[in-house]
Amino acid sequence: MQRRPIKQRDSPPDGKDRGAASAHRKDGAGSRRWLKRALLAVAVCILVPVTYKVIPNLMQDIVHTYRLSVPFFEDLGRPADFSLNHTINMYLTSEEGISLGVWHTVPESRWKEAQGKDLTWYQNTLNDGSPVFIYLHGNTGTRAAPHRVGVAKLLSALGYHVLVPDYRGFGDSTGEPTESGLTTDALHVYNWVKARSGDSLVVIWGHSLGTGVTCNTAVKLLEDGVVFDGVILEGAFNADRQQIPFYVFAWYYTKFPGIKNLFSFLWEKRAAVFNTERNLKQMRSPIMFLHSEDDHLVPIEIARQTYAVAAKAQGEDRVKLVTFDGSLGYLHNGLYRDPKLPGVLKEFVKSL
């Protein structure tokens, strides 16, 4: 039986060959590291400028959250769907290209009369002698948010007209929100109401973001010698007294871990918006602050300090602070549910 020849294995490389192979591997690894570093440098050079340009707008969208509308697919043109059956939907043009969605709710005593009426009828009711409230809401959702509907129902039940606009970019209003833009929108709604309300009282109720818009608007009107008949500031923030690194909506950043510190370079040199304290020193309208002691966005201490600024500017007889027990759980949006609020509102209107 023949044996198969045994195939000779290659002999291991000598020291010189091993060194050449090792050097070749090192050169390959070095080239790959160099390529990775080069790609990283290119990515940084491209992404940093793009990020610096895009992120501020993205952050504004997150902070305003005006694109968030719950419930989804709501038809704001049908206020009756939100149990406001003596309300009409309309659109006002605050400036070229800006259309504002607005609800007008008449006093509850006229709800039967209001059925089937058109916009002209609603507009004509503004001069019936009943006080008119313009409600400037906060920075999330639309005029259909439950607490805003709750305020409209409350004021209507008290015999008042209520107009609730959505700022530009909010709800079905067109445009993009900015501080100056929101102020322009509020000015337009106020002037529109005044042109139709005759001698009726016109009271501005600002909530949260709306308190900043209200104070901006009040000071803007002072330039023309116009003074609001009355002002209600609910959950009013104060950019001068709260620790806000960018602007007053910064509390929303804290909901996203790391965002506040990661992008601090974008706002560290920017001034806070809506300088409410400065505005309060100039305002000459009677003011009532409404604040819950458990407000989780604007601490009650801030509310008391802000009230003190306004009271010092006008006197305690023209500026009031009404607080609500923190154990009631109203937080930032729930004051409209308090049973003592109707009496507080009627007393304020009576004092004007």
Side-chain angles (χ1 to χ4, degrees), residues 65-247:
T65 56
Y66 60 91
R67 299 195 187 283
L68 179 61
S69 177
V70 179
F72 300 108
F73 310 116
E74 59 192 6
D75 186 353
L76 296 173
R78 295 171 55 89
D81 291 350
F82 304 92
S83 68
L84 292 171
N85 59 5
H86 44 292
T87 300
I88 196 167
N89 180 70
M90 59 183 171
Y91 297 94
L92 303 179
T93 302
S94 60
E95 61 183 9
E96 185 177 356
I98 302 298
S99 174
L100 307 178
V102 183
W103 284 349
H104 173 195
T105 301
V106 297
E108 190 177 86
S109 60
R110 305 190 69 173
W111 79 268
K112 286 185 178 180
E113 185 185 359
Q115 303 311 303
K117 295 299 192 298
D118 60 12
L119 180 58
T120 300
W121 181 88
Y122 273 84
Q123 291 183 13
N124 289 337
T125 65
L126 286 171
N127 66 2
D128 65 4
S130 301
V132 181
F133 277 73
I134 299 173
Y135 181 78
L136 302 178
H137 66 62
N139 71 332
T140 58
T142 72
R143 57 194 184 276
H147 59 287
R148 292 161 195 158
V149 172
V151 170
K153 287 183 175 181
L154 169 62
L155 293 172
S156 176
L158 293 175
Y160 309 143
H161 291 272
V162 194
L163 282 93
V164 185
D166 269 326
Y167 313 110
R168 63 185 64 196
F170 288 72
D172 55 356
S173 299
T174 62
E176 295 292 318
T178 62
E179 178 176 358
S180 61
L182 268 59
T183 303
T184 297
D185 295 342
L187 277 168
H188 181 79
V189 174
Y190 173 77
N191 288 329
W192 186 90
V193 169
K194 286 295 291 183
R196 293 159 176 81
S197 59
D199 295 329
S200 299
L201 285 172
V202 178
V203 180
I204 311 300
W205 182 334
H207 173 236
S208 193
L209 168 67
T211 65
V213 179
T214 296
C215 294
N216 271 9
T217 306
V219 170
K220 189 71 175 176
L221 284 171
L222 281 175
E223 296 175 3
D224 298 323
V226 177
V227 177
F228 285 147
D229 293 330
V231 170
I232 295 175
L233 301 177
E234 178 193 355
F237 61 82
N238 187 329
D240 290 324
R241 294 179 183 271
Q242 289 179 264
Q243 296 301 312
I244 301 173
F246 177 25
Y247 49 57

Side-chain angles (χ1 to χ4, degrees), residues 284-305:
R284 291 297 174 263
S285 304
I287 302 172
M288 181 169 67
F289 290 87
L290 303 175
H291 216 95
S292 178
E293 293 178 349
D294 66 338
D295 191 316
H296 61 301
L297 297 183
V298 184
I300 186 62
E301 293 78 12
I302 298 296
R304 292 193 174 105
Q305 293 168 5

